[in-house]
Amino acid sequence: MPGDQHAVQCQGANGVRRHGCVAQAHHQGGALHRQQGLQLRAHGPDRPLEKVRLPLPEGGEVNGEIAALGLAQAPEPDRAILVGVEWRDNAWPLDRSLDELERLAHTAGAQCVARLSQRLVKPYPKSFIGSGKVEELCGLVHRMDADVVIFDDDLTPSQQSYLEKAVGEPVKIIDRTALILDIFGLHAQTREGRLQVQLAQLQYLLPRLRGMWSHLAKEQTRGGIGSRFGQGESQLEVDRRLIRNKIAALRRELKQVEQRRDVQSKSRIESPAFRVALAGYTNAGKSTLLNRLTGSTVLSQDKLFATLDPTTRSYRLPGGRGMTITDTVGFIQKLPHGLVDAFKSTLSEVLGADLILKVVDASDEDYERQLEAVDRVLDGIGAGERLTLTVFNKIDLLDSVDRLSFRRRYPEAVLFSAQTGEGLDDLVDRIAREAAATDVLLSADIPYREGALITLVHEQGTLLHEEYLEDGVRIVVKLPARIAPRLERYRTE
């Protein structure tokens, strides 16, 4: 929380605590990143304590006093234990799901030191995992000197509270949703992105306030004579009310942002340009594809959820037709519903597209499951029936046998490498063909006074015939369906 003091401490496997500095943290990173942004600089042995001011994600800063130790020393990452459950109807193998959870933890700045798993038919209401596994987890936490335990499934507030008491302080218990929210909080750059993440974080936090203020239970108003002028609301009730008010305020702000986005989207919808949206599993290479296609420099990293905010770039197809291409937030299995709701305005960019490019990492052995996860999210936001084109990216990592297998299994898909540019011409050609498939063939006599309309026809249409008459231009042209109504009054049969 803003204004909290956090002692930057790291604990190695030998159990010795190494103290860095006590800092005033002012940022909105999650549980795993309270120590980020602190850097210990090398100084000579005779240098005194130095007051420093270091940047943190989202514009925050840290004030601290750094001891002149003579050697640079950075805070160690949180040591994490991953816990997964193998259900009868698992969509993903447990080991693959935990591999992905480990990548998420690494993106959040944690080091995974152990894994724990159990087969269950259904979760235990009290502890999620069995009592024997809880005891095993407690022992593992102490042996591995863990700082955080991350569950691959969602925990109820009561389950999280029980497990925290079982393992003891200061070890944190979080679930997959909390981890993803932590990453989103770090990577959100725009005002809209930060508002969306804050809303999802507070919605997640609200039911988990229960029991956090039990030591203040005596402050609750008691009934009876002389108690009607008591101390009023308990601290828990105050916090809940404050969070509800903040959620309401964030929704109002997002509503205003959505209205501005609707205006921008409306202008793009009315634009004659063909609209393309990139959708796919996180780290499938959507941003790299956007950069390769348009020559832009959008941030692209080999990290999960490196890009959260939608980015739109323009591109001109062969023949001169204009196109816009929008990079959107990546999807993932078990994507929290709160995030889907919070990012609905961002995901609306997909709904407004003429063509959705489903970008798939062909080098990932779980590409089929990832593609299914993307389809589920698209169905969930109402984009399941939109025109789509599957693009298998990263084919530079495949051998000739695998490439041939992809071509046989997915004859309508495009094989492409955003890293090397291989398959770029094929991708552009397929997009141009999809754009042309929606065109309308018409003939019209346009008067010379409609110069802007004549220019629009030349820029966005494919001219099949053009004849200059005394009072205008006679054309036969294939035009995008959105432009055709503008020529209706000049149309000839």
Side-chain angles (χ1 to χ4, degrees):
M1 297 292 290
D4 289 345
Q5 282 196 340
H6 301 291
V8 179
Q9 300 177 342
C10 299
Q11 181 173 0
N14 58 4
V16 178
R17 291 282 177 181
R18 290 181 289 278
H19 295 263
C21 64
V22 178
Q24 187 80 12
H26 295 279
H27 69 98
Q28 299 183 18
L32 300 182
H33 278 79
R34 297 186 186 278
Q35 300 173 4
Q36 299 298 314
L38 298 176
Q39 300 174 356
L40 302 183
R41 302 173 180 173
H43 294 289
D46 299 328
R47 293 290 296 275
L49 295 178
E50 180 183 0
K51 194 80 169 182
V52 298
R53 190 174 186 86
L54 300 176
L56 272 174
E58 302 182 10
E61 292 181 338
V62 165
N63 295 319
E65 290 186 350
I66 305 302
L69 302 178
L71 295 174
Q73 181 181 358
E76 292 183 1
D78 281 344
R79 298 169 60 83
I81 294 177
L82 309 183
V83 180
V85 172
E86 186 173 355
W87 312 103
R88 286 183 177 178
D89 57 347
N90 265 10
W92 289 51
L94 180 59
D95 59 337
R96 298 296 298 157
S97 187
L98 289 178
D99 287 343
E100 184 176 84
L101 186 67
E102 182 170 349
R103 292 193 64 197
L104 286 167
H106 177 73
T107 301
Q111 174 191 1
C112 298
V113 296
R115 293 183 179 186
L116 189 67
S117 62
Q118 185 177 25
R119 290 184 179 180
L120 291 176
V121 176
K122 60 180 181 180
Y124 285 84
K126 182 179 180 181
S127 56
F128 189 78
I129 54 177
S131 57
K133 280 294 175 182
V134 173
E135 293 180 6
E136 185 178 348
L137 175 61
C138 293
L140 191 59
V141 165
H142 289 93
R143 286 198 309 274
M144 302 306 298
D145 191 27
D147 302 297
V148 59
V149 177
I150 307 174
F151 279 74
D152 194 32
D153 296 275
D154 286 343
L155 299 173
T156 65
S158 60
Q159 289 168 346
Q160 182 177 352
S161 176
Y162 176 84
L163 291 167
E164 286 175 344
K165 292 176 182 177
V167 300
E169 295 183 353
V171 180
K172 300 182 287 288
I173 302 291
I174 65 174
D175 55 20
R176 187 184 184 95
T177 296
L179 180 61
I180 293 175
L181 288 174
D182 188 85
I183 297 171
F184 271 51
L186 288 166
H187 292 177
Q189 299 295 325
T190 65
R191 177 171 175 265
E192 179 181 13
R194 289 193 291 268
L195 289 174
Q196 290 169 329
V197 172
Q198 287 176 31
L199 176 60
Q201 288 175 335
L202 289 177
Q203 288 174 331
Y204 177 84
L205 176 63
L206 182 58
R208 287 166 172 78
L209 285 178
R210 183 172 140 190
M212 294 176 63
W213 296 99
S214 58
H215 62 290
L216 295 177
K218 295 180 181 179
E219 294 184 8
Q220 295 181 2
T221 302
R222 297 178 175 85
I225 298 175
S227 64
R228 296 184 179 88
F229 302 96
Q231 298 181 13
E233 296 175 292
S234 69
Q235 186 61 52
L236 176 60
E237 292 167 340
V238 171
D239 286 347
R240 282 176 173 166
R241 177 167 50 82
L242 290 175
I243 289 182
R244 290 192 188 99
N245 291 342
K246 181 63 175 177
I247 288 175
L250 287 172
R251 283 175 172 161
R252 287 193 296 270
E253 286 190 72
L254 276 173
K255 191 68 175 178
Q256 296 175 357
V257 173
E258 288 172 11
Q259 290 173 352
R260 288 193 291 270
R261 178 177 289 279
D262 288 343
V263 172
Q264 297 171 352
S265 298
K266 184 179 179 181
S267 64
R268 283 197 291 269
I269 291 174
E270 295 175 348
S271 168
F274 188 69
R275 302 186 307 274
V276 176
L278 302 179
Y281 213 75
T282 179
N283 206 39
K286 298 183 298 298
S287 298
T288 309
L289 187 155
L290 179 67
N291 292 339
R292 172 66 65 176
L293 186 61
T294 65
S296 59
T297 56
V298 175
L299 174 67
S300 58
Q301 295 179 337
D302 186 19
K303 288 184 177 181
L304 303 184
F305 300 115
T307 304
L308 294 184
D309 304 302
T311 303
T312 301
R313 295 291 183 268
S314 60
Y315 180 75
R316 196 159 292 278
L317 292 166
R321 181 167 183 177
M323 178 186 81
T324 62
I325 182 166
T326 301
D327 182 18
T328 60
V329 62
F331 304 149
I332 199 170
Q333 64 141 341
K334 303 178 185 177
L335 186 66
H337 295 293
L339 275 179
V340 175
D341 294 338
F343 276 76
K344 62 182 179 181
S345 63
T346 299
L347 295 173
S348 66
E349 295 290 339
V350 177
L351 290 173
D354 298 308
L355 174 66
I356 300 174
L357 296 186
K358 293 194 294 187
V359 185
V360 185
D361 182 356
S363 67
D364 195 304
E365 62 182 279
D366 289 319
Y367 74 89
E368 290 179 296
R369 297 186 182 92
Q370 293 180 0
L371 190 54
E372 291 173 359
V374 171
D375 287 337
R376 282 196 298 271
V377 176
L378 290 177
D379 288 338
I381 63 175
E385 301 299 322
R386 309 292 294 186
L387 180 63
T388 62
L389 173 62
T390 303
V391 180
F392 286 104
N393 189 23
K394 305 185 183 181
I395 63 167
D396 54 300
L397 303 178
L398 304 180
D399 56 27
S400 58
V401 175
D402 290 333
R403 294 188 186 197
L404 182 60
S405 175
F406 272 102
R407 293 188 189 280
R408 287 176 175 173
R409 294 188 60 186
Y410 304 95
E412 298 299 320
V414 175
L415 301 188
F416 175 73
S417 171
Q419 191 67 35
T420 66
E422 182 181 357
L424 179 61
D425 292 340
D426 187 22
L427 175 61
V428 172
D429 179 66
R430 287 294 303 277
I431 295 174
R433 284 159 51 189
E434 296 293 349
T438 63
D439 287 351
V440 176
L441 177 64
L442 58 83
S443 59
D445 291 342
I446 306 177
Y448 289 124
R449 67 176 182 274
E450 294 283 7
L453 187 58
I454 295 173
T455 300
L456 180 64
V457 168
H458 280 86
E459 289 180 349
Q460 299 296 331
T462 302
L463 281 172
L464 305 179
H465 174 75
E466 184 176 30
E467 180 183 355
Y468 288 89
L469 306 176
E470 182 178 348
D471 55 352
V473 181
R474 175 168 295 169
I475 60 170
V476 179
V477 63
K478 289 186 68 176
L479 280 173
R482 289 193 304 276
I483 301 179
R486 303 187 188 184
L487 277 70
E488 191 64 35
R489 55 180 170 168
Y490 303 120
R491 189 167 182 170
T492 59
E493 297 297 334

